[in-house]
Amino acid sequence: MTGRAATPRQTPQQDRLHRRPRRPPRPPPRPQSSTERLARLLYGALGPTALVFGLLCLGTVLEQAWKPQRSWSVAAWLLIFGLPMLLAVLSRRVPLRVLRVIALAEGALFVLLLMFWLTERAEPLPAGADIPWAITLTGVPVMAVAVTTRDRTAWAYLVLVCTMSGLLRAATSTDPSPVLVGVEDGLYSFLLLSMLVGLTTMARRSADKVDQAATIALVQLVDHADRLARKHERLTIDALVHDSVISTLLMAGRGGTPVPVLSRHAADTLVRLDAQRAPLPDPSMPGLQVTRRLQQLVAELAPDAQITSNLPGTLTVPDLAVTALLGAVGEALRNSVAADVREPVRSPVARTLTVRSYQGGIRVAVHDNGVGFDPARVPAERLGIAQSIIGRMERLSGGAAAVRSRPGVGTEVVVSWTPTPAAPAQPVPSLSSAPPTPPRPATQLKGVTRLPKALSTTILMGFIAVHALLAFADGEPLWGLPYEILGFVAVSAAAAWLTLVVPDPVSPRNAVMVLALCGLSAVATVFPVPPVGSTPFAHWYLGAITMMLVVLAVRGRPGFAWYGYGMIMVISIVWALLNGLSLLDGMTLVIRHAGTLLAGTLFAVGLKRSTQTLAGLNRERARSGAAAATAAAASEERETQLTRVNTLARPTLQRLANLLKSDALQIEPTLRAESLLVEATLRDAIRGRSLFVEPVITAARAARIRGVDVTLLDDSADRPPRQLAAAAAIVAAQLDALTRGHLIARLLPADRPTIASIVVDAGEPRMLTVTPDGLLQPSL
């Protein structure tokens, strides 16, 4: 309860009407986060990669099968390659926790497999086939663990399995320097996989940032939608209060209105208030009925006005538009009549109402030749033109209003409604208070395809060091050393160029440059290599070039990456044929690197598609959240505003509506005084919203009863000061001290050096201000 107005007693039927339970809007289904989508993407990419590696090493598995239990080798192969494929199949269907369990099982089984080889089969394998099939798969379990666990665990697992694979390679190698072979193998595996683990880590961090940014953006968007919806609903209720409640109370307080007309106005106002609590669907009204409603309005407010209409019978206007048009036209007619009463002119004022069809809708022009006014000089706190005419029509979809007037010439008010074009179906209803599309930065996985400078520089140095070891530590013939150096320099230059110079995304020109350097490295390195009797890493350049191709793929050029793969395939085949080997021998050199490049390509392509999908999902999530917030806020604000209006005005309106039943010929003086008092209080709630709090409400009512003229204004633009309570206490104290005169209290905009001003005139005008600290000081 506000002020001194008593809460009216209601019948059970009225109580049910005013306390009708509101079903909260159903929250939209929770979309996948960017982190979850990324994890599912990477789990899905493991399947094709494992399939390629598994098929490539199937022959080796059968050759290296453990003699005591041959079926165990096949079972191990099925498990190690089957679990990643199972992950891919289930990546879109099962909860993430199930996928994590499968990925961790893959990582654990691979470690157990390596331990089995190290403890049970740590013996040299046949020459030419001394690479255990298990270590050809190292990348798949490493990626599975990297997707599933956090950074430190992923890097620790990478170190563990690369160390174990290097030891196993050394134990099974038939090379004269098995330890060197093991070190080279372990380092190369670590180098290659560190790049993939780094990309996975960066992608996950970026996804986390996207989720955080999207959450923040959603909160801001929902808050924005909430504030817009509340303001929209408040202005709608304020317009209803101004046009129906306040106008009825003013008619009652000023007198001169016949009791039957006043009582009918009060009853109609109560019906409108009740209708706002339970809004009906949006039916339409035929044009002829709209004309009759306008004629009835003119007959009640300005009987001397002339109305003409050419609305066709086929025209239909939504009830929302009709209500807004009637409210705006009614306010225009009331202002015209009131201006004539305040400043009567010598000749009678001619008022016309012209109703026309307009662009498939309706246009109503209200014209008079009265005293007119200057629209630029209308105070901002005046609600009639700003809210009841222009504001009301602007809040209506398809609505428009214009007010034209000059002193001594007259006034014309034009209001219109036109149907808006049918928009494509949207998941969120079109609302005038609906928020804009959420910003794109909260939906993009940026910076994923390029590692941090420190990490990328470290990998580059490792790349050069490891491949220097692979190229020059195996004792190749001296006559081929210049070619080896040229190949090493070319591929190292390509790596440095990509890492230190080329920006994202890689341009076609830069991609061609990288492929040219890789081709030069392959040609310079391969042709001096003998067809038989070469060292284990004689074809080291293939792994180095594959790493370059993976970088191209993940940095936006997968097509160029596969062109490069085709290039080294051709070079290897030519080398094989020139050295008396078969076509298949040349292909075999390169084919085992297809799985590595495939993994990088799937990562790149899948990440791009996931980013695009995620952007749409986040925008949809934001729109859905904003729509839900709009509906909930509008319903809550409507209930709050109507409860306040009913608490303040319903008892008085009910008494006015009952006058017709009592056959009263005039209004009692106490009822007239109460009507003016309630009207002033409602006007405070609209014009001085932030100041409409206790103790100001009670103090303003008491001051008005003593005869003080009180005006409360709020210019804070919905940004009340932090010391609002202190300012309200100061205003209430000034009101309590007055017995006559008038007081104007105004909350100032947020950019002012003071938060409120108080003008008091009780014989000697004075002005006071309230500082941001909530202290009262006289104005200089």
Side-chain angles (χ1 to χ4, degrees):
M1 183 172 66
T2 57
R4 299 183 182 177
T7 303
R9 298 181 62 85
Q10 299 180 354
T11 64
Q13 292 80 6
Q14 289 174 323
D15 186 70
R16 283 194 297 271
L17 174 63
H18 301 312
R19 299 180 182 275
R20 179 175 297 173
R22 290 176 288 110
R23 179 179 297 176
R26 177 179 295 179
R30 184 188 70 85
Q32 292 181 354
S33 66
S34 55
T35 304
E36 180 177 350
R37 288 191 61 82
L38 176 67
R40 293 183 182 277
L41 160 70
L42 296 178
Y43 284 137
L46 288 176
T49 305
L51 178 62
V52 172
F53 278 115
L55 293 177
L56 289 175
C57 74
L58 179 57
T60 307
V61 171
L62 298 177
E63 292 176 3
Q64 297 177 353
W66 192 36
K67 299 299 187 292
Q69 291 290 341
R70 191 178 184 87
S71 59
W72 286 20
S73 297
V74 178
W77 176 82
L78 289 174
L79 277 175
I80 296 300
F81 291 101
L83 288 179
M85 296 178 64
L86 180 63
L87 279 173
V89 172
L90 300 179
S91 61
R92 297 179 179 272
R93 296 180 176 85
V94 302
L96 272 182
R97 62 178 181 274
V98 177
L99 299 177
R100 293 190 183 102
V101 170
I102 298 174
L104 291 176
E106 166 75 4
L109 287 173
F110 184 70
V111 171
L112 291 176
L113 178 62
L114 293 180
M115 291 179 63
F116 170 79
W117 274 81
L118 286 171
T119 57
E120 299 294 332
R121 304 193 61 188
E123 56 192 26
L125 293 173
D130 57 351
I131 303 177
W133 67 264
I135 67 175
T136 62
L137 172 67
T138 307
V140 175
V142 166
M143 289 299 296
V145 173
V147 175
T148 304
T149 62
R150 292 321 237 169
D151 299 352
R152 291 184 178 179
T153 304
W155 287 103
Y157 184 83
L158 173 62
V159 172
L160 173 64
V161 296
C162 288
T163 301
M164 295 178 70
S165 66
L167 293 173
L168 180 57
R169 182 76 169 92
T172 60
S173 176
T174 57
D175 191 83
S177 304
V179 174
L180 179 60
V181 171
V183 170
E184 291 175 335
D185 192 281
L187 287 176
Y188 175 76
S189 297
F190 181 81
L191 176 66
L192 174 62
L193 296 178
S194 64
M195 182 178 65
L196 297 178
V197 171
L199 289 171
T200 302
T201 299
M202 287 303 300
R204 185 167 55 234
R205 289 181 181 178
S206 182
D208 289 340
K209 291 180 181 179
V210 167
D211 285 339
Q212 295 172 7
T215 300
I216 293 173
L218 178 61
V219 170
Q220 294 174 344
L221 205 61
V222 167
D223 179 68
H224 181 60
D226 181 281
R227 287 186 284 106
L228 283 180
R230 291 181 185 278
K231 182 176 181 179
H232 178 272
E233 201 64 35
R234 187 171 65 249
L235 292 176
T236 300
I237 300 299
D238 287 350
L240 171 65
V241 170
H242 181 270
D243 296 348
S244 298
V245 181
I246 287 180
S247 62
T248 301
L249 295 173
L250 278 177
M251 285 190 295
R254 293 174 178 173
T257 303
V259 171
V261 174
L262 178 61
S263 181
R264 188 168 61 252
H265 269 282
D268 183 60
T269 298
L270 290 172
V271 171
R272 291 186 181 183
L273 287 175
D274 293 340
Q276 288 293 323
R277 263 201 155 90
L280 298 174
D282 187 19
S284 296
M285 185 179 296
L288 296 179
Q289 188 175 349
V290 175
T291 300
R292 287 195 294 269
R293 293 286 298 275
L294 288 170
Q295 290 171 341
Q296 181 182 359
L297 184 67
V298 169
E300 292 181 356
L301 299 179
D304 57 338
Q306 299 295 319
I307 180 171
T308 59
S309 174
N310 72 343
L311 292 184
T314 56
L315 175 67
T316 58
V317 184
D319 272 2
L320 286 176
V322 173
T323 301
L325 289 166
L326 290 174
V329 170
E331 180 64 19
L333 291 173
R334 279 190 292 269
N335 289 343
S336 176
V337 173
D340 190 21
V341 172
R342 289 193 304 268
E343 302 180 42
V345 294
R346 295 180 180 179
S347 57
V349 175
R351 299 181 179 86
T352 60
L353 197 76
T354 306
V355 186
R356 296 285 184 267
S357 60
Y358 174 69
Q359 296 182 1
I362 180 174
R363 180 179 184 272
V364 183
V366 181
H367 181 270
D368 70 39
N369 60 353
V371 295
F373 64 96
D374 183 0
R377 301 184 64 181
V378 177
E381 62 267 17
R382 293 292 298 274
L383 301 174
I385 294 176
Q387 292 300 332
S388 295
I389 298 177
I390 297 177
R392 170 183 272 120
M393 297 308 299
E394 287 180 347
R395 290 190 295 274
L396 174 68
S397 178
V403 178
R404 294 182 285 269
S405 182
R406 282 192 301 165
V409 176
T411 303
E412 183 180 49
V413 176
V414 180
V415 294
S416 63
W417 169 82
T418 57
T420 56
Q426 298 288 340
V428 179
S430 177
L431 299 172
S432 60
S433 57
T437 301
R440 289 184 179 272
T443 63
Q444 301 295 323
L445 293 172
K446 292 186 176 180
V448 175
T449 59
R450 190 156 192 169
L451 299 176
K453 185 175 181 180
L455 180 58
S456 61
T457 303
T458 301
I459 292 178
L460 172 62
M461 295 173 61
F463 178 91
I464 296 174
V466 169
H467 286 95
L469 179 66
L470 297 177
F472 306 118
D474 288 342
E476 296 287 348
L478 291 179
W479 68 270
L481 186 59
Y483 302 99
E484 196 97 20
I485 293 174
L486 178 59
F488 171 76
V489 171
V491 78
S492 297
W497 177 260
L498 268 181
T499 304
L500 303 177
V501 178
V502 177
D504 275 338
V506 177
S507 67
R509 181 178 179 180
N510 287 326
V512 170
M513 175 69 72
V514 170
L515 293 184
L517 289 172
C518 290
L520 174 61
S521 175
V523 170
T525 307
V526 70
F527 287 105
V529 176
V532 293
S534 59
T535 60
F537 289 95
H539 296 280
W540 61 267
Y541 63 91
L542 293 175
I545 293 174
T546 300
M547 287 189 65
M548 294 299 96
L549 300 181
V550 169
V551 173
L552 281 179
V554 299
R555 290 181 59 184
R557 295 297 172 186
F560 280 91
W562 284 98
Y563 294 152
Y565 183 80
M567 175 186 68
I568 61 175
M569 175 71 76
V570 170
I571 293 172
S572 297
I573 291 174
V574 171
W575 170 83
L577 296 178
L578 290 177
N579 285 277
L581 301 177
S582 67
L583 178 71
L584 183 59
D585 291 328
M587 294 179 61
T588 303
L589 284 175
V590 185
I591 196 69
R592 66 190 184 92
H593 295 284
T596 303
L597 183 55
L598 177 63
T601 304
L602 291 175
F603 181 92
V605 175
L607 186 64
K608 180 179 180 180
R609 293 180 179 177
S610 180
T611 299
Q612 295 171 347
T613 304
L614 177 65
L617 289 174
N618 276 345
R619 285 194 293 269
E620 176 62 24
R621 178 189 178 196
R623 283 196 295 264
S624 300
T630 297
S635 179
E636 181 179 344
E637 186 67 20
R638 184 188 311 120
E639 184 67 23
T640 299
Q641 296 295 325
L642 288 174
T643 298
R644 184 193 66 192
V645 173
N646 277 287
T647 301
L648 290 172
R650 181 171 283 273
T652 305
L653 291 173
Q654 195 66 60
R655 291 175 62 187
L656 293 173
N658 292 336
L659 289 176
L660 193 61
K661 300 178 181 179
S662 63
D663 296 327
L665 299 179
Q666 59 183 2
I667 304 175
E668 298 177 359
T670 55
L671 182 55
R672 290 179 58 186
E674 181 66 21
S675 297
L676 290 176
L677 192 58
V678 173
E679 182 272 336
T681 304
L682 288 173
R683 199 174 288 273
D684 287 344
I686 297 175
R687 297 188 303 185
R689 189 172 71 89
S690 296
L691 279 175
F692 193 70
V693 294
E694 291 293 354
V696 176
I697 297 173
T698 300
R701 182 180 176 89
R704 288 185 174 113
I705 292 175
R706 296 194 300 270
V708 179
D709 183 15
V710 180
T711 302
L712 302 180
L713 302 174
D714 180 11
D715 293 337
S716 66
D718 291 332
R719 297 171 61 190
R722 291 185 297 105
Q723 297 296 335
L724 177 62
I730 292 172
V731 172
Q734 294 297 317
L735 287 169
D736 290 338
L738 287 179
T739 58
R740 60 188 178 88
H742 65 262
L743 178 146
I744 303 175
R746 183 191 302 266
L747 277 184
L748 300 176
D751 58 350
R752 299 292 180 85
T754 56
I755 63 175
S757 65
I758 305 172
V759 177
V760 180
D761 188 357
E764 182 178 351
R766 57 192 176 94
M767 182 174 180
L768 308 172
T769 58
V770 181
T771 68
D773 296 330
L775 302 177
L776 179 66
Q777 66 178 15
S779 179
L780 299 179

